[in-house]
Amino acid sequence: MNVLFSFKQVQTFLTILVMMIFSFSDASADTSSLLIKDLGEGHCLVHINTNQRYLLLPVEEVIPDVRVSMIVNNKEVNVADVRLAVNRVDYFVPLDLSDYAGKNILLKFKLGSNDPIRGKLSAVCCKEMKLSDTFDTGNREKFRPTYHFSPLYGWMNDPNGMVYKDGEYHLFYQHNPYGSKWGNMHWGHAISKDLINWEHRPDAITPDALGTIFSGSAVVDTDNTAGFGAGAIVAIYTQNSDRQVQSIAYSTDNGRSFTKYENNPVLTSDARDFRDPKVFWHKETQRWIMLLAVGQEMQIFSSSNLKDWAFESSFGEGQGAHGGVWECPDLFELPVDGTNEKKWVLLCNLNPGGPFGGSATQYFVGTFNGKEFVNESPSQTKWMDWGKDHYAAVTWSDAPDNRRIAIAWMSNWQYANDVPTSQYRSPNSVPRDLSLFTVDGETYLQSAPSPELLKLRDISKKRSFKVNGTRTIKDMIAGNEGAYEIELTIENQYADVIGFRLYNDKGEEVDMQYDMKEKKFSMDRRKSGDVGFNENFPMLTWTAIESGKDELKLRLFVDKSSVEAFVDGGRFVMTNQVFPSEPYTHIDFYSKGGAYKVDSFVIYKLKK
């Protein structure tokens, strides 16, 4: 049979053929594959072969953690607990595949079945996970602070390994790169030259067979005592598994990468809570000193090489607050203002047992001889910050000009997992320079805003006025997006209460006041915005103030989700998170029982 084709038909056929050839060539060039196999009863295998960097895992926060094992060449190379989405996708987290480009990767996990009759997977995660060369870290959170440090994504708690070297401040921190709730502890990492602008780095220390990476510290080993090289940065950290042990890792490239010591762990114990090593060089005894939080005491060890440690003493029985476990110690020497004297300060974070519930930072002042710390005021409990959101406070090692600079995790374990953010959870406090002062023969710790914060100041506006009743200032400063600093100098003229209230057009407010009769300063966030996510969040916090003062000085650092009050140069500090639906743009000044004069009210818009 003769079959004749028209020119148009031939042309169409050739066009289709060429398109099929090019389509086949493109498909062959893309060797990436993602094959999901349902093994029944919630069990799942994911086969991956790709040169792309990430597998994006969908997360649903209300779902329990799922253990995800990553297997290459029949060996488990990574394991993480991820809240894999079953019903909806809240956000994605990246699983880094770059070390295994072009290799066959297998993921193994088990989800709760959505279909108990057939046991077939119908979870959203199996439909939505995808390969990608990029991961979007652009801000999508209205509460992300402007000038406080926060992680690009994921959960953050304790600051770790803070060390200064060659003009750079290193900030490591407890990080979960697989979700915005606590878990999968790594050491996150950021670097700054000015304590304000931070370069986000990849996670520095990751879990291994000894466990996840809990809190710790870092030192510069100038004299090569450990044998890793003169000037190496040595990290000392807790690893958490069935028990808690202390391990070390070292960096010879200024903290850009770390090598774990092959004979880890370097210190073990039969104690269940045995963590958070703080290490420093004690020049008088020419030895390294380590403080460890052990239950409700601090244990002190010494070493000549950062590897072999000897027990020296313990501190804690009958001292300070014991409402919960002790954590995150620090020990350092400071001059006492107005004297030629120096004293040692031991920071002790505890959870629970803070003055307003949950976690907080207490401290002790005394002496240290290289073996023992002695508290000079054993009958007193002293708090570093009188707000709800100041915990795990520790200081930088080797800071320039003999400065002692502290930073804290700005949250509280009572509600840290519940705050209304999801791309990230938790910022840090602003950096604070520490010193000592004396009142009525008692020595206290002063936390002043670090001078680098002055660089944040942009436009400003100054006013002075008298308050007898109420004085309202609408729209405090132009272009107010919720990040500003207020400086106040107030002269009391017989007022019983000196008050001021930050608020927005939604009626959300933070009310602060000096009660001159009760000699208290307080901050009330019970109407501050979203307070309903946890019953422990709405709170009024307060602290005693020094008596006999008619001139009051106050600095307020307001960011999109926090208020930090520094009274009298940081003699008393109060740190609280807030979650308003829009920025506080107005302020009311009010008095009760008399009048006062605002000698100076200056507001600075702050920006990085």
Side-chain angles (χ1 to χ4, degrees):
M1 181 176 61
N2 293 325
V3 180
L4 298 177
F5 295 94
S6 70
F7 176 79
K8 186 174 183 179
Q9 287 175 313
V10 172
Q11 187 181 43
T12 301
F13 172 78
L14 290 174
T15 300
I16 293 172
L17 181 61
V18 169
M19 291 176 64
M20 290 176 64
I21 291 171
F22 274 101
S23 176
F24 179 79
S25 298
D26 289 345
S28 299
D30 182 6
T31 59
S32 294
S33 64
L34 182 64
L35 178 62
I36 299 173
K37 292 184 177 181
D38 180 3
L39 305 184
E41 297 181 341
H43 293 273
C44 186
L45 293 178
V46 180
H47 291 268
I48 307 166
N49 190 299
T50 183
N51 289 316
Q52 292 183 282
R53 179 166 184 177
Y54 301 116
L55 175 66
L56 302 184
L57 298 173
V59 173
E60 183 179 357
E61 286 207 332
V62 297
I63 298 300
D65 281 327
V66 173
R67 177 61 55 93
V68 178
S69 296
M70 183 174 171
I71 301 167
V72 178
N73 293 333
N74 299 316
K75 294 181 180 179
E76 187 176 70
V77 296
N78 191 10
V79 61
D81 294 322
V82 187
R83 298 172 185 266
L84 290 175
V86 173
N87 307 295
R88 69 174 192 274
V89 179
D90 291 332
Y91 52 86
F92 288 88
V93 295
L95 180 63
D96 194 338
L97 309 174
S98 58
D99 287 343
Y100 310 103
K103 295 184 178 181
N104 290 312
I105 303 169
L106 183 67
L107 297 187
K108 182 178 72 171
F109 59 87
K110 180 185 177 183
L111 290 171
S113 173
N114 279 353
D115 185 350
I117 297 176
R118 294 186 236 173
K120 293 292 182 182
L121 281 177
S122 59
V124 168
C125 70
C126 297
K127 301 173 184 177
E128 297 294 334
M129 66 175 62
K130 52 194 173 185
L131 297 165
S132 176
D133 281 322
T134 60
F135 177 65
D136 180 16
T137 56
N139 181 36
R140 57 178 181 271
E141 293 281 359
K142 70 176 182 178
F143 293 127
R144 184 182 285 276
T146 298
Y147 58 91
H148 291 79
F149 177 82
S150 60
L152 274 178
Y153 70 96
W155 164 276
M156 180 181 77
N157 57 293
D158 306 357
N160 297 153
M162 294 151 53
V163 66
Y164 178 87
K165 185 175 187 289
D166 295 339
E168 296 178 328
Y169 292 93
H170 291 266
L171 170 63
F172 302 92
Y173 55 89
Q174 292 285 276
H175 186 221
N176 179 8
Y178 301 118
S180 297
K181 291 180 181 288
W182 183 91
N184 303 302
M185 289 294 95
H186 296 53
W187 268 24
H189 187 201
I191 298 174
S192 176
K193 294 184 181 298
D194 61 3
L195 294 171
I196 302 299
N197 298 286
W198 293 94
E199 173 197 350
H200 293 276
R201 302 284 304 169
D203 284 343
I205 304 178
T206 60
D208 57 34
L210 287 175
T212 52
I213 312 301
F214 273 23
S215 292
S217 55
V219 297
V220 178
D221 188 8
T222 304
D223 296 326
N224 194 24
T225 63
F228 301 134
I233 296 177
V234 181
I236 309 97
Y237 52 91
T238 298
Q239 294 206 251
N240 183 65
S241 184
D242 296 328
R243 281 293 186 267
Q244 294 178 348
V245 299
Q246 314 314 314
S247 294
I248 62 176
Y250 61 93
S251 172
T252 56
D253 58 2
N254 276 4
R256 269 61 180 179
S257 63
F258 280 85
T259 301
K260 293 173 182 173
Y261 177 48
E262 61 183 5
N263 292 320
N264 280 334
V266 297
L267 186 59
T268 63
S269 170
D270 60 2
R272 186 171 184 84
D273 294 309
F274 183 69
R275 57 179 176 264
D276 308 342
K278 175 67 178 190
V279 174
F280 65 94
W281 180 254
H282 188 249
K283 63 181 180 180
E284 287 78 10
T285 58
Q286 290 291 292
R287 294 181 73 79
W288 296 103
I289 301 298
M290 177 194 292
L291 270 76
L292 273 171
V294 185
Q296 291 197 358
E297 69 176 17
M298 299 302 180
Q299 292 186 357
I300 300 174
F301 297 81
S302 68
S303 172
S304 62
N305 60 9
L306 294 169
K307 299 172 182 176
D308 304 300
W309 293 92
F311 175 78
E312 297 290 353
S313 64
S314 62
F315 168 81
E317 184 176 356
Q319 312 278 326
H322 286 267
V325 66
W326 284 17
E327 294 186 312
C328 301
D330 203 344
L331 181 62
F332 46 86
E333 193 176 28
L334 287 175
V336 181
D337 286 354
T339 75
N340 295 319
E341 190 179 10
K342 289 185 177 181
K343 295 185 178 182
W344 286 82
V345 178
L346 194 158
L347 298 185
C348 171
N349 296 272
L350 84 161
N351 175 53
F356 303 103
S359 45
T361 307
Q362 63 178 326
Y363 68 92
F364 308 94
V365 179
T367 60
F368 178 65
N369 62 7
K371 293 180 177 292
E372 296 177 315
F373 174 81
V374 178
N375 177 19
E376 70 179 20
S377 302
S379 62
Q380 289 203 27
T381 300
K382 299 176 181 179
W383 299 103
M384 188 175 179
D385 189 291
W386 291 86
K388 282 280 285 188
D389 295 310
H390 181 276
Y391 191 61
V394 285
T395 65
W396 265 277
S397 299
D398 298 312
D401 303 320
N402 294 317
R403 293 171 64 189
R404 184 57 59 173
I405 309 167
I407 203 168
W409 176 49
M410 194 158 57
S411 197
N412 190 304
W413 278 117
Q414 286 184 328
Y415 45 74
N417 279 290
D418 303 326
V419 297
T421 64
S422 61
Q423 182 187 29
Y424 78 99
R425 274 197 173 87
S426 303
N428 284 331
S429 70
V430 295
R432 303 165 184 197
D433 276 46
L434 306 183
S435 59
L436 293 173
F437 69 99
T438 301
V439 176
D440 297 330
E442 192 68 43
T443 304
Y444 298 95
L445 185 63
Q446 180 166 320
S447 303
S450 293
E452 285 84 354
L453 293 166
L454 297 173
K455 300 175 186 176
L456 292 171
R457 290 177 173 178
D458 190 14
I459 59 174
S460 65
K461 195 166 186 178
K462 182 176 181 179
R463 304 171 177 87
S464 60
F465 45 84
K466 186 173 181 178
V467 179
N468 190 358
T470 301
R471 171 72 179 259
T472 298
I473 299 177
K474 301 280 283 186
D475 301 320
M476 290 181 285
I477 198 166
N480 185 351
E481 296 179 350
Y484 52 90
E485 177 193 351
I486 292 174
E487 275 192 311
L488 277 172
T489 302
I490 294 171
E491 178 189 343
N492 190 22
Q493 297 177 346
Y494 308 110
D496 293 332
V497 172
I498 296 170
F500 34 94
R501 182 176 66 96
L502 297 171
Y503 66 102
N504 60 25
D505 289 332
K506 302 289 186 182
E508 299 162 342
E509 65 178 42
V510 178
D511 187 40
M512 289 162 275
Q513 60 177 239
Y514 290 92
D515 188 318
M516 304 307 290
K517 282 191 171 181
E518 296 290 330
K519 297 182 176 59
K520 291 180 178 180
F521 174 84
S522 64
M523 185 187 302
D524 187 349
R525 69 174 182 195
R526 288 175 291 185
K527 299 178 182 178
S528 58
D530 186 353
V531 298
F533 53 85
N534 186 288
E535 64 182 6
N536 295 297
F537 188 80
M539 177 65 64
L540 182 148
T541 57
W542 62 272
T543 180
I545 58 175
E546 296 175 55
S547 60
K549 283 200 167 188
D550 289 328
E551 183 181 75
L552 307 170
K553 292 182 179 292
L554 178 70
R555 287 176 74 182
L556 292 176
F557 286 86
V558 181
D559 211 336
K560 292 185 178 180
S561 53
S562 63
V563 179
E564 292 165 277
F566 293 83
V567 181
D568 291 337
R571 289 192 171 209
F572 302 98
V573 187
M574 190 173 293
T575 302
N576 285 314
Q577 292 185 94
V578 291
F579 297 98
S581 58
E582 59 185 47
Y584 306 123
T585 53
H586 320 304
I587 187 168
D588 275 352
F589 289 87
Y590 61 90
S591 66
K592 296 179 181 178
Y596 62 90
K597 182 183 179 184
V598 178
D599 287 327
S600 177
F601 167 58
V602 187
I603 179 167
Y604 302 90
K605 184 178 179 182
L606 300 185
K607 67 177 183 178
K608 293 175 78 169

